Amino acid sequence: SQTIHQWPATLVQPVGSPLSLECTVEGTSNPNLYWYRQAAGRGLQLLFYSVGIGQISSEVPQNLSASRPQDRQFILSSKKLLLSDSGFYLCAWSVQGTGYEQYFGPGTRLTVT
Amino acid sequence: QKEVEQNSGPLSVPEGAIASLNCTYSDRGSQSFFWYRQYSGKSPELIMFIYSNGDKEDGRFTAQLNKASQYVSLLIRDSQPSDSATYLCAVTLYSGAGSYQLTFGKGTKLSVIP
């Protein structure tokens, strides 16, 4: 069966500090991978998606970036965090070529102070 | 702009009753429809998906889709306190290059009263 991991689970970072969140998927090959953010009182916002190694599409212009160095690894980064970056960051995967059903990881709760 | 609309609630139902959650979407090209359940502080969990007009039943859950009306609903029969959560409606569109985009509603908070 497939499993998706995210870490860290929670993170408190000062404004202007860097960020690196990691997501890994087990039990499947060549998945589509997604990063979402859920801010308090707001819906899920798609940030990035990837259909393969090194292939990243950005949905929202911002100070975040994503990378996919390995087939089942997806990383979300920032050089300098803003207060508005606080939120619940969710990684999801779907079967390559379909994307019909997306399955979420446990998430990382980020608070920027 | 693609939009998915849900009543934010809270929707309160007594234990054992039927909970009815509704969702409308703006893009007629939408192809697939999903319901996720999200407990407070947790990530969304996929509970139902439906691709064709009509009803789809899975245990106590029934998803209903009407593409002509751009409407999808989720019925929860014999509601239990453990069903208390926020329910997210999501709609997918093919975005090219082998990827599909999910657009989420903001969710309806359901409270099942014992």
Side-chain angles (χ1 to χ4, degrees):
Chain A
S1 63
Q2 298 83 13
T3 309
I4 180 168
H5 304 279
Q6 285 187 247
W7 63 91
T10 59
L11 193 59
V12 180
Q13 292 284 92
V15 168
S17 63
L19 173 74
S20 181
L21 303 180
E22 189 164 342
C23 169
T24 59
V25 181
E26 296 177 355
T28 187
S29 296
N30 201 23
N32 288 344
L33 295 172
Y34 307 83
W35 278 112
Y36 290 87
R37 177 171 60 201
Q38 189 175 40
R42 301 178 67 178
L44 277 164
Q45 179 186 34
L46 178 64
L47 303 176
F48 301 94
Y49 67 91
S50 171
V51 299
I53 296 174
Q55 301 178 62
I56 309 294
S57 297
S58 174
E59 288 296 302
V60 181
Q62 57 206 335
N63 67 319
L64 300 173
S65 62
S67 62
R68 184 170 177 175
Q70 300 181 43
D71 179 43
R72 291 170 289 175
Q73 184 185 29
F74 206 20
I75 297 172
L76 183 69
S77 303
S78 174
K79 292 182 179 179
K80 288 186 177 181
L81 284 168
L82 307 173
L83 283 175
S84 58
D85 291 325
S86 292
F88 193 32
Y89 287 81
L90 293 154
C91 182
W93 75 274
S94 67
V95 173
Q96 174 67 261
T98 64
Y100 285 169
E101 296 111 59
Q102 292 187 19
Y103 299 92
F104 287 87
T108 295
R109 191 162 303 280
L110 171 67
T111 303
V112 182
T113 60
Chain B
Q1 184 176 356
K2 311 173 199 108
E3 292 183 350
V4 178
E5 299 288 341
Q6 295 182 255
N7 188 322
S8 62
L11 172 66
S12 294
V13 300
E15 184 174 356
I18 296 175
S20 178
L21 304 164
N22 304 314
C23 172
T24 59
Y25 58 95
S26 61
D27 197 322
R28 287 193 172 275
S30 300
Q31 298 169 308
S32 308
F33 307 86
F34 305 88
W35 285 98
Y36 287 82
R37 177 176 62 199
Q38 187 173 23
Y39 291 114
S40 181
K42 302 296 185 181
S43 63
E45 174 192 9
L46 179 64
I47 56 171
M48 286 288 289
F49 55 88
I50 186 167
Y51 302 147
S52 305
N53 276 330
D55 295 358
K56 179 182 178 182
E57 186 175 319
D58 184 1
R60 296 187 296 114
F61 299 99
T62 299
Q64 299 175 316
L65 174 62
N66 184 326
K67 288 188 177 182
S69 300
Q70 295 175 246
Y71 177 91
V72 58
S73 65
L74 178 70
L75 300 177
I76 306 175
R77 290 181 300 281
D78 188 24
S79 295
Q80 301 297 309
S82 59
D83 295 325
S84 298
T86 297
Y87 289 80
L88 306 175
C89 174
V91 173
T92 194
L93 282 172
Y94 182 65
S95 59
S99 181
Y100 292 75
Q101 301 297 330
L102 268 184
T103 299
F104 284 83
K106 293 185 178 180
T108 298
K109 187 172 183 179
L110 173 66
S111 180
V112 180
I113 311 301

